[in-house]
Structures are given as C-alpha cells and as structure tokens.
C-alpha cells in the first residue's frame, strides 16, 4: 500500500481496513482533521482525495492506495485562511478544517460562485456556532480576492 | 474501529472479485458510505472486504440508442456531471443525495444493493423499469430492479454475485422527480417521488420512495380520471412512522405530489 499525504509518500504497515481518519490522526498525528459524528453527516473529517472532498470517517485506508490526500495541514490556501480570519468565520473552530477543505476544492472548480452555490458547497459540513453566514462571506471574499490577483 | 481486523483486498479486475468472493464471510465494498455506518453500530463476523472501486469497467457510463448503461461503481458526483443532459431524472435524484463528500464516494450500485426504501436513486430506476446485470464466476444474469429488491435491505442477491451494470431504456418521456426532506442537504427522505409519462402510449408510472417496504409503483394512463388514480395511490402506499416523519403525513405527501405531477402533464 502506498499513499501520498500532503505530498509525502507513505507505505502504511497497518490494516487496509483502518479508517483513513484514524490513520491520519493516530498514525500520522495529523489531528487537524476532526471526528464529529463518524457517520458522514457532519463533514468535520473532510479531506481531499485526489482533489475531491470526501469524509475520511467513511473511507478505508486500503481504498486510498495509490491516491493523493490533502489534509488541512497541507492545504496551501493563504487567501482562504486570511478571509476566514478577517470575516470572523471561526468560533469554536471544530468545523473549520472541514469547511476550508470543502471550499478550497469548490473554488478551484468554480472561481466566481453565486451565494447559492457557496451554500451547496458547504452543504455537507455542519457548524453549530456561526449560523453559516460568516463562513459563506469568507468563501465569497476569497473568490473576490483571487479574482483581483488574476 | 473493530473492523480494522477485517482483511482488506483490492480487486483490480472483475476476476479478482470472484477469486475472493469464495472465501467465507467476505463482503464487497464500493463507496462504503452505507456499509461503514452500519458496521460502526453493528459488529458482525465479516472477515474480508473486497474493494471493487478500482475496476475500470464498473466505472463507465455508456449511452447509445436511447439506452443508458451505468457501471455499478459510478459515483453520484459522476452521475451529476454526466447525466444532466442525457437522463435528467437521475441527475435530479443524484443532486438530492446526502452532501458533496458522500456523493464523491457513494455509488449507484451501493444504493441498489443497500435496498433502503428511502434510497434516493431508486424511484427513478423503478419508474423506468431498470434492469440490473449481475456477474458470477460461471454465469451472468439480468433481473429487473422491481423483482430484485424484496424488502427493506432485502434483495435476491445470490452468493458469489457482483452487480456490474444498471441498464435503462429511455423512451420519449415527461417526468417529475421530487424529494421531501427536513433540509435540502444531508437529509434522508420523508418521501421521494419519480413520475414518468411515456409520450408514445400515454402510459404513466409513478414510483414512491420511503412509502412502503420497497419502492411503491402505481401504473396508469393519461386518459384515466385523476381523482380515481389518487385514490389508488392513497390505497397502495403503506408508509411507516419513524424518526423522520409519520405515516399519515407521508401518505398525504404521496397523494399531493402525485396530484402535482398528474395535473401538470
């Protein structure tokens, strides 16, 4: 088994039936990826698998063989981070890694989103503090900033 | 998780699956979004996972002569990207399934084998009378989905069989797909519906999800009296009360969504 996590190649010696989430947190000590519900409802464990957001609680390590994973630790999105800070899109912070992973993949595909599309993009991520408004604002702000740079 | 002790096997071609399905207590895993939730809460005696996600022929969509053939491991995200033009009802159903992360891994084959009465793609597959192709080591067979699913979570899947393809004939049609849930995303349905009118014959098929032990189908014709059809709908659906909704409200939804569909044809 070979998997790339945040651009580093690993050859895990653990069971292929281990949840990817447990491998990331317990073996690689990448604890930025959170476990909320463990059933694919809350999105706190979202990572990028070959560039697409998936729930790491519902995927087994063996299913990631030969694939590339990006976690919040390896996400290189300074504009997104800055926007979350500026707008105040973080309260307790537990959902934030998942929110940022979901929105980074989305903005890659959809650089000029509408508000409705932003809502769809984070529809698989639950937040119990913010009411989503500031998170949506942060994602819109990121899109605007990226357009300016271009 | 307890299931770390299960031996994990990656199948790279269909033959690999049959080579391993012989092993006692083996289980096929595709997207895993249903299986892993179930296993988390219910320990069982599975010894081998056989992952079929890397088998190229199970991930293909073919479309020709008004017939669509979908590989069992096609994910709902792929259905969203590829069916919006050629088969909008399935696109609509895929759009309502769970959230983006689950859609990126959950497969149409898994939705069928899981055989939940609330499976989001099932009303569409029933309304179009979809056929399922199974392969085993020594034979293959085709069976209609309405004959394959026999109860909640219960199917006529035989030992050693792999669902490889979903085959749907697409005549000229008008349709309505609708899902009623508590919220737009990440919701299991209270009721889901797919109504289809075939333009050539005027025949109508209405399929109701989460309204009985399997998908409930009501067939009729455009020339029939709407009130009479709605009475048949009311009698045919047999929803239950659970944490998502109650039986009376579900029945009401079934009749009203059918009315909406029939009156706007």
């Amino acid at each position: 088994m070979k998997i790339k996590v945040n651009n580093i190649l690993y050859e895990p010696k653990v069971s292929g039936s281990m949840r990817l989430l447990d491998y990331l947190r317990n073996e690689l000590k990448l604890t930025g990826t959170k476990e909320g519900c463990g059933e694919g409802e809350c999105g706190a464990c979202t990572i990028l698998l070959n560039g697409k957001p998936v729930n790491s609680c519902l995927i087994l390590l063996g299913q990631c063989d030969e694939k590339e994973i990006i976690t919040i630790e390896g996400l290189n999105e300074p504009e997104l981070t800055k926007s979350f800070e500026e707008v105040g899109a973080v309260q307790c912070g537990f959902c934030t890694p998942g929110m940022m992973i979901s929105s980074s993949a989305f903005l890659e595909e959809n650089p000029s989103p509408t508000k409705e599309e932003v809502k769809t993009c984070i529809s698989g991520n639950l937040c119990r503090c913010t009411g989503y408004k500031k998170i949506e604002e942060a994602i819109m702000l990121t899109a605007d900033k990226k357009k300016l740079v271009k | 998780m307890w299931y770390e002790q299960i031996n994990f096997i990656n199948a790279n071609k269909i033959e690999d699956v049959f080579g391993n399905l012989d092993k006692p207590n083996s289980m096929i895993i595709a997207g895993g979004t249903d299986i892993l939730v179930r296993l988390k809460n219910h320990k069982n005696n599975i010894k081998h996972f056989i992952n079929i996600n890397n088998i190229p022929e199970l991930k293909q969509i073919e479309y020709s002569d008004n017939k669509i053939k979908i590989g069992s491991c096609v994910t709902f995200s792929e259905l969203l990207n590829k069916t919006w033009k050629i088969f909008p009802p399935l696109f609509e159903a895929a759009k309502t399934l769970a959230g983006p992360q689950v859609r990126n891994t959950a497969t149409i084959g898994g939705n069928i084998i899981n055989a939940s009465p609330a499976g989001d793609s099932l009303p569409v597959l029933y309304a179009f009378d979809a056929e399922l192709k199974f392969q085993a080591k020594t034979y293959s067979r085709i069976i209609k989905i309405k004959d394959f699913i026999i109860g909640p979570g219960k199917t006529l899947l035989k030992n050693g069989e792999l669902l490889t393809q979903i085959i749907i004939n697409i005549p000229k049609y008008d349709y309505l797909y609708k899902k009623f849930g508590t919220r737009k995303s990440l919701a299991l349905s209270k009721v889901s519906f797919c109504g289809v009118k075939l333009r050539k014959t005027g025949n109508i098929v209405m399929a109701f999800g989460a309204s009985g032990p399997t998908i409930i189908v009501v067939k009729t014709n455009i020339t029939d009296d709407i009130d009479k059809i709605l009475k048949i709908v009311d009698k045919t659906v047999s929803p239950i009360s659970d944490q998502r909704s109650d039986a009376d409200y579900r029945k009401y939804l079934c009749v009203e969504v059918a009315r909406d569909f029939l009156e706007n044809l």
Side-chain angles (χ1 to χ4, degrees), chain B residues 40-247:
Chain B
K40 179 179 176 234
N41 301 316
H42 303 280
K43 200 174 170 188
N44 65 16
N45 59 357
I46 292 167
K47 297 273 189 300
H48 309 278
F49 275 134
I50 307 166
N51 177 36
I52 57 171
N53 256 331
N54 299 327
I55 302 175
E57 60 234 78
L58 300 183
K59 302 193 75 68
Q60 282 169 3
I61 299 180
E62 297 168 40
Y63 177 68
S64 61
D65 301 329
N66 297 323
K67 188 181 263 201
I68 184 167
K69 294 180 179 175
I70 304 168
S72 56
C73 282
V74 170
T75 65
F76 282 91
S77 294
E78 285 156 357
L79 287 176
L80 274 184
N81 289 333
K82 291 176 186 158
T83 62
W84 64 279
K85 233 178 181 167
I86 52 176
F87 193 33
L90 195 56
F91 167 81
E92 297 274 341
K95 210 165 63 175
T96 67
L97 182 129
Q101 296 96 318
V102 170
R103 287 197 289 270
N104 278 335
T105 46
T107 64
I108 185 162
N111 210 221
I112 294 167
I113 298 292
N114 197 45
S116 160
D120 287 309
S121 69
L122 301 187
V124 176
L125 301 179
Y126 271 72
F128 285 85
D129 208 15
E131 295 176 320
L132 310 176
K133 186 176 179 191
F134 291 89
Q135 255 176 268
K137 207 177 219 168
T138 52
Y139 69 93
S140 68
R141 65 167 178 148
I142 290 179
I143 178 172
K144 292 198 163 176
I145 189 167
K146 68 172 164 43
D147 300 323
F148 175 70
I149 298 178
I150 53 172
K154 290 202 181 94
T155 67
L156 295 182
L157 183 71
K158 293 180 192 157
N159 275 344
E161 278 186 339
L162 170 70
L163 172 61
T164 54
Q165 217 171 39
I166 296 96
I167 304 161
I168 307 159
N169 285 308
I170 311 177
K172 295 253 182 293
Y173 64 94
D174 298 300
Y175 82 101
L176 174 71
Y177 179 86
K178 197 105 185 153
K179 170 173 168 176
F180 300 93
T182 312
R183 61 202 292 279
K184 276 189 192 163
S185 180
L186 288 174
L188 294 168
S189 57
K190 293 175 190 289
V191 162
S192 54
F193 172 86
C194 182
V196 177
K197 186 195 86 179
L198 303 184
R199 285 190 191 153
K200 201 171 164 190
T201 56
N203 285 339
I204 291 172
V205 186
M206 294 184 287
F208 301 86
S211 310
T214 63
I215 305 298
I216 303 287
V217 173
V218 175
K219 288 184 179 173
T220 173
N221 189 278
I222 189 77
T223 53
D224 294 337
D225 176 53
I226 289 183
D227 285 329
K228 221 158 99 189
I229 305 171
L230 294 180
K231 272 191 194 128
I232 296 172
V233 170
D234 185 72
K235 268 193 207 143
T236 315
V237 296
S238 57
I240 54 164
S241 295
D242 61 13
Q243 73 272 30
R244 290 195 287 280
S245 191
D246 62 56

Side-chain angles (χ1 to χ4, degrees), chain A residues 8 14 35 38 40 43 46 49 54 64 69 74 109 112 122 130 138 148:
Chain A
I8 300 171
V14 296
E35 174 161 17
T46 307
L49 180 68
V54 306
C64 307
I69 287 146
E109 274 185 23
S112 318
I122 54 165
T130 64
L148 279 182

Side-chain angles (χ1 to χ4, degrees), chain A residues 61-88:
Chain A
L61 190 56
Q63 293 178 294
C64 307
D65 191 16
E66 311 266 323
K67 297 198 166 123
E68 286 190 30
I69 287 146
I70 299 287
T71 70
I72 188 69
E73 290 88 348
L75 189 74
N76 186 13
E77 291 281 356
E79 275 118 345
L80 190 64
T81 313
K82 200 88 192 59
S83 301
F84 266 66
E85 282 172 23
E86 274 174 34
V87 173

